[in-house]
Amino acid sequence: MARITIDEERCKGCELCVSVCPKKILGMSERLNSQGYHFVETIGDGCIGCAFCARICPDVVIEVYK
Amino acid sequence: MARITIDEERCKGCELCVSVCPKKILGMSERLNSQGYHFVETIGDGCIGCAFCARICPDVVIEVYK
Amino acid sequence: MVTHEIICAGFGGQGVMLIGQLLAYGGMIEGKEVTWFPSYGPEMRGGTANCSVVISAQPIGSPVVAEPDGLIAMNGPSLVRFKGAVKPGGVIVYNSSLVAEAPELQGVRICAVPANELARELGNDKIGNMVVLGAFLGLTKAVTVASIEAALQQVLPARRHHLIPLNSAALRKGLSLVEG
Amino acid sequence: MVTHEIICAGFGGQGVMLIGQLLAYGGMIEGKEVTWFPSYGPEMRGGTANCSVVISAQPIGSPVVAEPDGLIAMNGPSLVRFKGAVKPGGVIVYNSSLVAEAPELQGVRICAVPANELARELGNDKIGNMVVLGAFLGLTKAVTVASIEAALQQVLPARRHHLIPLNSAALRKGLSLVEG
Amino acid sequence: MKKVFAYPRALSQRRTHYCPGCTHGIIHRLVAEAIDDLGIQERTVGIAPVGCAVLAYDYFDVDFQEAAHGRAPAVATGVKRVHPDAVVFSYQGDGDLASIGMAEIIHAATRGENITVIFVNNTVYGMTGGQMAPTTLPGQKTTTSPYGRDTATVGYPIRVCELLATLDGPAYLERVSVHDPQHILKAGQAIRKAFALQVAGKGFSLVEVLSSCPTNWGMTPAEALRHIKETLIPYYPLGVYRAPEEVTGGDA
Amino acid sequence: MKKVFAYPRALSQRRTHYCPGCTHGIIHRLVAEAIDDLGIQERTVGIAPVGCAVLAYDYFDVDFQEAAHGRAPAVATGVKRVHPDAVVFSYQGDGDLASIGMAEIIHAATRGENITVIFVNNTVYGMTGGQMAPTTLPGQKTTTSPYGRDTATVGYPIRVCELLATLDGPAYLERVSVHDPQHILKAGQAIRKAFALQVAGKGFSLVEVLSSCPTNWGMTPAEALRHIKETLIPYYPLGVYRAPEEVTGGDA
Amino acid sequence: MERVMMKGNEALAEGAIRAGCRYFFGYPITPQNEIPEYMARRMPEVGGVFLQAESEVSAINMVYGAGGAGARVLTSSSSPGISLKQEGISYLAGAQVPCVIVNVARGGPGLGGLNPSQADYFQATKGGGHGDYRLLVYAPGNAQEMVDLIGLAFDKAEAYRNPVMILTDAIMGQMMEPVVLPPLRTVAPDQPWATTGKRGRSKPNIINSLGLVGEDLERINRELQAKYARMAASEVRYEADGVEEADLVVVAYGTTSRVARSAIARLRQEKKKVGLLRPITLWPFPQQILAELATAGKRFLVVEMSAGQLVEDVILGVNDREKVAFFGKLNGTVPTVREVYDRIRSLLSEGGEG
Amino acid sequence: MERVMMKGNEALAEGAIRAGCRYFFGYPITPQNEIPEYMARRMPEVGGVFLQAESEVSAINMVYGAGGAGARVLTSSSSPGISLKQEGISYLAGAQVPCVIVNVARGGPGLGGLNPSQADYFQATKGGGHGDYRLLVYAPGNAQEMVDLIGLAFDKAEAYRNPVMILTDAIMGQMMEPVVLPPLRTVAPDQPWATTGKRGRSKPNIINSLGLVGEDLERINRELQAKYARMAASEVRYEADGVEEADLVVVAYGTTSRVARSAIARLRQEKKKVGLLRPITLWPFPQQILAELATAGKRFLVVEMSAGQLVEDVILGVNDREKVAFFGKLNGTVPTVREVYDRIRSLLSEGGEG
Ligand SMILES: Cc1ncc(C[n+]2csc(CCOP(=O)(O)OP(=O)(O)O)c2C)c(N)n1
Ligand SMILES: Cc1ncc(C[n+]2csc(CCOP(=O)(O)OP(=O)(O)O)c2C)c(N)n1
Ligand code: SF4
Ligand code: SF4
Ligand code: SF4
Ligand code: SF4
Ligand code: SF4
Ligand code: SF4
Ligand SMILES: [Mg+2]
Ligand SMILES: [Mg+2]
């Protein structure tokens, strides 16, 4: 079992993490952060801790545990 | 039969022409020109008009007739 | 009023520069002297932005408005930053979709426009700025709506001209909010 | 004389800069104030060159000598260029090997030194400058020959020190021309 | 559970001013990871360019100098000559490095200056609003090539790794990309290697990173990454152009 | 009897200020001969460098501009863009072109600017009294490398033709020498070709000429020519590095 | 006449083209990017050349080449880029090559910021480059003057064979105002002194600033100084508004003159006698009028966005530093109308007229 | 003390080394080549670094790097090269990086010539680069001052974190005079603000001149102006010779002060009352003493090798242009002692004292 943490306030809503997650468990929130961006959130289970999301994130939003 | 003309006043006495003449018929004058250089002069016959001297002269001192 | 000194402010991407330009073009179309001056934050995209617009019957001095008699604020930070500078007797129109608390100020007319919601109603998320502008025009009469519509012809590239009716609708929607 | 203002001039390669430096070093060795200042023509090598030397008991003002009281001219063009500037009571020493016509000037002592010939006699073509300098020292007493000899130790790099006796001989040869 | 992907120590906590999806952020992180990995944070000095990365000094937790546009290699040289034991890197865009700063980068490279250069090639002037860069592709539209880059009048893009590879000075030259997680991993390894070579005193190292500019390319961040893969890489082949072991050329 | 070797029309009658035996004079003559040959004297504009050839405008009988040090390619570009039918050439030393002017030459080349560059490589700064140049050979003593060029601290010489050959822009690049009459003949042909290509609108052409500086090398003129042959040519191989027909590389 | 709305930078660019400029060489830098970007679109339409140089240094040297070839040629940049051009500008002046150089100034020193600034006044007027040279320097006060003065700049550059600078700032460049554009002119690049190839001339034309022999250089400089004296005698421009009646004359150019104008308008409503002297040429500087006003007993207030540069020329003109007050804003901020208004009020009351 | 004969340029180079300078970055240009050439020989002997940069632009940016890293660092050039350094100088000033920059000036504008000149005075003192910055500018009057002032320059550069310029010319640089050298100092590059790597510091050191937000830039500039005010209050240096008793005070620096001194010596033999005021710092400028002398009723003659640059500062100091006469020589030639003598004589007789 693996999991990620998301630093919502750093997220700029670029959706790159969404596009690379092999498990398709990331999606964009309806809500805005204080920068005015829709931030990323997990929308499903089954994270395998591949860290693709973290690695492609330009804003170091995501940390990964495994 | 070939011959060269020498514009004595232009000569800077570098002796490059002397060094390349295949017939060894060029040498430096005892006299100085107004620039203060010993200039080149012909010291023998048998010019073959090869223009080596003219071609290597950096100061366009020599013209060649053939 | 002979001279209108206006600040339009918001996040980058909210179209505050455009409504400022429309005000300036509108003034020009009405034969007035006008200036428009932009100011950006350090961000490449996003961040805050604002512009100063002056519309006057006289030649214009400073194009940088420090004490506006009209403020259009499209988000909270902009409202906070500029509201205190508005002159007594001035007008503030703000986007209440993004501002939770209504500002309180003496001697200034304040108008809340839920721009995001109204834009969505009009079927285009990006048209909130025009709704706010419509309300602003209604309150200040800085220029006429017709002049803004004429300005749209000049400001929008030809390939966007099909959007003019939508923009008009948004303007009139805003106007209707204040003309009751 | 409290102050000597000297110009040394000639073709590049004739060693005029060196004799100017020797005069300056000589002055310094004698505890005087001195300046040496060079001036070159546009040519890369060859062409003309000159230097100004001032030797004085007082702090020196301008290091550029416009009205010398001593002129050393190693070739014709230099003599032509500078002779008119020499102050009344001044001295000109010139290289008569390269100057056909003796200059005529009122109130200036003129000394012709056949430097090239004398140098050749001394066994080294390049030593003509020292012969001329010797004559100049004899006429002006700007510094002593001994000071110049001491200066040679400082100015010449160590690997050239074996040439000092030759230089001395040339100096004394020049001196002998004027001291009779 | 162990943290397998963490916020690098050599990055500061500040949020960047970069546009959403801009890969400058990824490259920053890779540099910080290399610094962490090699344990050199306390002796690293960065040189920030003039370009979108102008505020880089705010984003790293290492000493920094802000250079004039294009002059980062000269500034880095000055720092390195004074502190040979410091690890000095410049971070430069394609306008900065390949246009105004061309003389500086070539001469730092030919000197074999013992510094590391992170060269971010996004084929455009990001900061100033999308003007043509020396690396702008033929036909590419920018604000100063509004009709598309016309090679007949403004010439051809410059391939920096290939250019520098003709010099005897550089120790290490590699071109990488950050358009997907696999390539990001490889890019990180190249950057780490570049720093490691400097630490080992091997001389000049440069890693060219193909990077995106969604804003000025007029694309979404994801489209921009696809553009790197499909359009940039064919023009700018990835690979090692100089290695200390003399493993040169070729695709990666 | 016919005159078989004559004073070129495109040279002025002035005597040069060059040192005795300096091959700048030969290269001037070759340029003038090319201009005469192609009948382009009336539409040629030369750009003089800052370097020993700074007075080149006095020695040719064609229009001339004196450029700032290193900027001749930019100046030539300005002239050429205004008068595309003019034949524009710059004449530059190795300090001028490969040190301070590196950005300008690379960018003129990559633009494929339709100009001709005569690049005189004498491995030293002649005019200013023999300082180190980017082309100074390893170990070579100059006034600013008095202990010999130390590659460990100041790096390696730059081979300009090889460097420019990595760009897509240039039409013609060749390195020649003027150390003996045969090579002078070849050098003349290369220079003529470079001008001819410009006249034909083919784009950027550069001829690098290995040249002597007897004064700063501390040699007689004849020794200096031998030095070119024995020491320079092995380091700077002669040959065509780019040709319109794509005949590239190799020795000549 | 049709009024069109334009940013100052674009008005300037179109003004240049209308004045016959067909060659632009430049390098991007905020806040003047609208100029090269406009040129990139527009030059191909009028058969002109837009070329993005590899640097400001290259750009100014391309300008040298094109100007020396006889063309009307423009370059533009902002403060750091203008500093890089200083060697080239000195060459242009020395070789008497006409051209127009625009500085849309921003805050300095160093990398500074993107805000407007007037701290490049010394650089423009006293010569940031080496040697005794002068640029004719225009300071536009609105978008219309961006159009009009750049046209004049090209004419004067050619008439005097001298580089002309337009010194403006981020506000004047980014601000939009309505302008009336003049008709499009075409000017062939065929100056008799230009390097075009000899084309039948008996003597080559040479563009050059070298005087290796001292006397040559002195001759060049004598020629230049004579020309500058002619320019100083004929080219001074300024706007004087109510200076005759004024007790206090505000001296300001460009952006700060706009702010001052607003402040003065308020003061006049309060019946204060305040005038505005706006130099339009920063070099040659309107010294004469200042001397006359000083003789007439006026006091002066200089308003600038710098630590004090224009003020030196005003003191030199007035010839008495006691009469000249200064209000400066350091780089980064524009003075507000109220600040200037307050400063004038307090000066007037010091003078006992409050 | 042992006197050794040295060229001005070499005296300056050795003086720098004795003052602890161990880093030199430069590019060859006449008439200052003796400096880099001396450094190339000498730096390896003292464990220092001599590096020939690829251009003046690179050199000044290497200086920025090394100065920002805490070292005593020197660069030298001559007029066109100094123009190329202007962007870098503005950066050094803006980022408060200490360093010493030498301009051995030659004739301009443009390529100019190799003769001496004082036409870079404005560039040095008013800022050839962009923005409101000031260099501390020293003008040595003899070879000994070349040694002494460069030592002072390094100390002041570090004390104020400001670039310092030595403005001299081809004559002062090429001339040989005897000098006494101070002992060799060693100064470690360990300033608390320098970029050395954090090495345990909690916050990184950053060398920077960027103020993207207006207020940041204003803060930077306020800091700079406060520093300049301190420098103006403490760093003025001049030599005054016989000015108290004088009817006429000659103002001149560097080479022309030497010529003036010779002329004055002659005039004093004729019992004329002529003084010499020689500014040693060109910025900050000795305004105070000029104001005092003006109040005491003196007249002034400014002698410079330029069309008139120093003279503006003298007028500003005297605060009355009527009292200030000017004798200038254009680039290419040095005034002769006689010319200056004649000019002073005629001024004295105008004043009725002839
Ligand atoms: C001397 C100078 N010229 C121009 C500029 C303006 N400028 C700032 S960033 C930049 C180009 C940035 O492009 P690049 O280096 O590719 O970096 P990117 O923004 O794309 O990351 C330019 C031209 C400047 N600041 N200084
Ligand atoms: C901006 C500037 N920097 C430096 C110089 C001094 N300078 C004149 S010529 C030259 C180098 C000449 O060397 P090179 O280009 O190799 O030509 P060469 O004399 O060897 O033919 C230099 C550095 C200058 N005139 N201008
Ligand atoms: S670690 Fe992998 S699986 Fe888990 S959320 Fe990130 S990309 Fe998806
Ligand atoms: S990649 Fe990063 S910034 Fe982009 S949406 Fe995902 S978490 Fe947010
Ligand atoms: S033409 Fe040939 S043979 Fe005749 S002199 Fe010249 S080199 Fe000798
Ligand atoms: S090569 Fe020319 S200059 Fe040299 S000696 Fe012969 S003729 Fe004279
Ligand atoms: S402009 Fe381009 S390079 Fe700059 S931050 Fe935005 S996306 Fe990145
Ligand atoms: S210094 Fe060298 S390159 Fe210059 S003219 Fe003399 S020999 Fe030729
Ligand atoms: Mg880029
Ligand atoms: Mg050379």
Side-chain angles (χ1 to χ4, degrees), chain D residues 16-174:
Chain D
V16 292
M17 296 312 197
L18 178 66
I19 54 177
Q21 287 192 11
L22 289 171
L23 280 164
Y25 271 83
M28 178 176 75
I29 288 164
E30 295 180 3
K32 295 183 185 138
E33 299 298 328
V34 294
T35 60
W36 173 89
F37 175 72
S39 171
Y40 302 93
E43 293 81 5
M44 298 289 107
R45 182 186 261 183
T48 56
N50 71 77
C51 62
S52 292
V53 177
V54 183
I55 304 172
S56 177
Q58 310 296 326
I60 295 169
S62 177
V64 185
V65 174
E67 300 162 81
D69 34 47
L71 169 64
I72 293 177
M74 289 297 289
N75 67 2
S78 300
L79 185 60
V80 170
R81 175 160 170 213
F82 292 111
K83 67 180 179 186
V86 178
K87 279 200 209 127
V91 169
I92 298 177
V93 181
Y94 72 97
N95 175 6
S96 57
S97 306
L98 292 184
V99 180
E101 234 169 305
E104 284 188 40
L105 280 169
Q106 297 291 329
V108 172
R109 276 187 300 165
I110 297 176
C111 169
V113 177
N116 297 21
E117 285 79 3
L118 293 172
R120 197 158 300 175
E121 279 175 24
L122 286 159
N124 185 322
D125 276 7
K126 310 214 147 171
I127 211 81
N129 58 338
M130 299 304 287
V131 181
V132 173
L133 176 58
F136 183 80
L137 293 178
L139 292 172
T140 61
K141 318 284 183 220
V143 298
T144 67
V145 171
S147 299
I148 297 289
E149 285 166 342
L152 280 164
Q153 301 275 354
Q154 296 185 23
V155 174
L156 294 187
R159 63 191 155 79
R160 290 264 172 90
H161 280 189
H162 67 279
L163 293 172
I164 293 179
L166 175 66
N167 279 275
S168 284
L171 279 169
R172 286 170 199 283
K173 176 87 203 173

Side-chain angles (χ1 to χ4, degrees), chain B residues 10 12 55 63-64 66, chain F residues 2 4 7 16 18 29:
Chain B
R10 292 190 72 91
K12 290 182 185 150
R55 193 161 291 134
E63 294 190 319
V64 185
K66 198 166 149 178
Chain F
K2 236 178 50 210
V4 293
Y7 196 99
T16 70
Y18 299 116
R29 198 191 65 234

